[in-house]
Structure formats: C-alpha cells, structure tokens
Amino acid sequence: MEGNWIIESLKWVFTFWNDKQAEIWELISTTPEEFKGGEIWTLALEINEGLKAIGYGLLVLFFAVSVCKSTINFRDFRRPEQGLRFFIRFVLAKTAVTYGIDLMTAVFNICGGITQTVMSGLGGSITTAASLPGEIVTAIEGVGLLESIPLWLVSLLGTLFITVMSFILLLTVYGRFFRLYMFTALAPLPLASFAGQTTSSSGRAFIKSYIGVCMEGAVIVLACLIYSAFLSSSAPAVDSSLPAVTMAWQYIGQLIFNMLILTGLVKGADRVVKEMLGL
C-alpha cells in the first residue's frame, strides 16, 4: 500500500509537470486578443482609449518644453528647416499616440512570427516528457514498511520541488501576458514623450521594453526545446543494482536538476532578451 502511494504521488507530479509544460506551449502561441476570451484585451483597449486625452495633453506640454529649450528666441523659426523639424516631430508623436495600438500590434505580430518560426522549424512541440521508469516502480513495489519510510521523504521532497518549479514556469508566462496588457493600456503616456527632444528617451525606452517583452516568447520556446533535447539525449540513468531508496533519490535528483535548467532559462528570459538585443 505504501509503495503504491509513493508511486502514485510521483506519477502525479510528473504528469502535473508535463501538463504545465503543454499549457505553457499553448499560451506562448496565444495572442493577447485570444487570451482568456479577449476580455482582458478589451479592458486594456478601453484604458488606452481613455488615456489618449491625457496623452495629447502631455504631447503639447512636451512639445512646448522642447521648443523653449531648443530655441533662445523665436527668430530661429525664421529658418524653414527649424520649424519643419519641430512640425514633423509633433506630427509623428501625435500619430504614435493616436495609432499606438496598431504600432504595438504590428510589433507583437512580428515577434510572434519569429516565435512561430522557431516552433515549426524545430519540431513544433515538446517531444520528451518526464516519466517514472519501470525499474523504479518495480523496486518501490518490493520494499517493506520500514524501507518505505525514506521513500516517503524522497517522494515528498521531489513532489514539492517539481510542483514549485511548475508554478514558477506558469507564473512567468502569465506574467508576460499581464505585462503586455499593461504596456498596451498605458501606451499613450510614454508615446507622448516623442513630442519633445529632451523627453523622447522615455518613448524609446518604452518601445525597447515592449519589444523585449514580445521577444520573451521566442526565448521561452527555445528554452523548452533545449530542455526537451537535453532530456532526451541525457536522460537520468537508472541503476537497478542499487537499493530502491538510492535508485529513486538518484533518478529524481537528476531529473530535478534538468528541470531547474528549464526553470532558470524561462525565469531569466527577460534578461536573455536584453543581453541579446541590447534592449
């Protein structure tokens, strides 16, 4: 009975891990418009539309500040190129605030296309799943009551670690979606900074950060594929000559190490994108 409980708990946590990986894979290929039926996207659009009025006010303010700092007196505007430069900057900034959603959607679609290319070009799915080898199942079923006590501890720790890592992976991917919605909702405010030469750095930083969040999807997909290839090429070894406790501890320890690699890569996807693209 005890051995069966240990086996069932380990099988459950491996299934839980595999299910969360499959959920992550599905989430990465989902657009913000499709996520959770599109209700959150609709809310983000409504907030974006409501903030446009504030964005236009900031746009005029940043433009006026830029003009005051760039020109000592209005004689500079007698030169056509000077006035044209300010006019073009103002028009482009107003266009960015007005059509910011279209701009951000285009950026997301480009980054999403890169992610889809990685998915389709490298197999399109995670081919290797975590499982409990038959040798360990047989060994656990053959232990007595006293021998099963250390196995309880091994299965409990393994289940705890794997469950926590599964939630970390899932929270990271969900966090990316929420950041996309926050960027979309608040876009008119940082985009308005393009109206001023001295404030345009805020707008550039916003665009770079948004591109980084979009590109995190491609990095997460690569991390999952690398983990799958790593697990299939260097699967934890099972030495059937060892005692059941040692065999289970060795296998679960090696498997947790492999899972930690994936968790670290996914958790650090934002840092990888910044280092790779210089964002």
Side-chain angles (χ1 to χ4, degrees):
M1 180 67 67
E2 293 82 359
N4 291 336
W5 178 86
I6 294 171
I7 293 170
E8 291 302 320
S9 65
L10 291 176
K11 286 183 177 180
W12 173 84
V13 77
F14 288 151
T15 302
F16 183 77
W17 169 266
N18 295 330
D19 290 343
K20 295 309 173 187
Q21 273 197 293
E23 185 176 353
I24 288 171
W25 195 263
E26 182 179 355
L27 285 172
I28 291 299
S29 58
T30 303
T31 63
E33 296 92 332
E34 300 169 343
F35 183 69
K36 298 299 180 181
E39 295 182 4
I40 307 177
W41 176 252
T42 302
L43 176 63
L45 292 181
E46 291 176 355
I47 296 174
N48 179 283
E49 190 66 28
L51 290 178
K52 281 185 179 179
I54 300 176
Y56 290 139
L58 291 174
L59 186 148
V60 175
L61 175 63
F62 293 147
F63 178 75
V65 170
S66 178
V67 170
C68 292
K69 287 187 176 182
S70 301
T71 57
I72 300 176
N73 52 60
F74 287 98
R75 292 179 181 177
D76 294 337
F77 283 101
R78 294 179 179 179
R79 294 182 297 171
E81 65 275 9
Q82 183 77 352
L84 181 62
R85 182 168 64 87
F86 279 103
F87 176 75
I88 292 175
R89 177 182 291 276
F90 182 84
V91 170
L92 291 178
K94 184 178 183 302
T95 303
V97 174
T98 304
Y99 302 101
I101 291 294
D102 297 327
L103 172 64
M104 298 174 71
T105 302
V107 171
F108 181 85
N109 290 335
I110 293 173
C111 297
I114 296 174
T115 303
Q116 291 295 334
T117 301
V118 173
M119 282 182 169
S120 59
L122 297 178
S125 63
I126 301 174
T127 58
T128 304
S131 61
L132 190 65
E135 297 91 333
I136 295 181
V137 173
T138 303
I140 293 176
E141 289 176 342
V143 300
L145 178 61
L146 294 178
E147 295 175 335
S148 66
I149 295 177
L151 283 171
W152 289 349
L153 179 60
V154 171
S155 62
L156 180 62
L157 291 176
T159 301
L160 178 62
F161 276 111
I162 296 174
T163 302
V164 170
M165 287 189 291
S166 300
F167 278 115
I168 290 175
L169 290 178
L170 200 59
L171 286 173
T172 302
V173 177
Y174 271 96
R176 171 178 175 267
F177 267 107
F178 287 124
R179 279 184 290 160
L180 287 172
Y181 290 129
M182 287 188 286
F183 272 85
T184 302
L186 301 176
L189 305 183
L191 290 177
S193 65
F194 282 115
Q197 185 175 359
T198 57
T199 58
S200 60
S201 58
S202 299
R204 290 195 297 269
F206 172 80
I207 296 296
K208 288 181 179 180
S209 298
Y210 181 74
I211 293 174
V213 175
C214 293
M215 284 299 298
E216 285 179 24
V219 174
I220 293 173
V221 168
L222 278 173
C224 292
L225 291 171
I226 291 172
Y227 163 79
S228 179
F230 181 77
L231 192 61
S232 61
S233 62
S234 59
V238 178
D239 189 354
S240 57
S241 63
L242 296 173
V245 177
T246 306
M247 187 191 311
W249 179 254
Q250 186 182 69
Y251 178 81
I252 294 174
Q254 293 177 5
L255 196 60
I256 288 177
F257 176 77
N258 294 340
M259 293 175 177
L260 279 172
I261 294 176
L262 175 61
T263 304
L265 288 173
V266 172
K267 188 66 177 176
D270 56 341
R271 180 175 54 83
V272 173
V273 171
K274 290 178 181 178
E275 293 177 354
M276 186 184 304
L277 303 179
L279 299 176

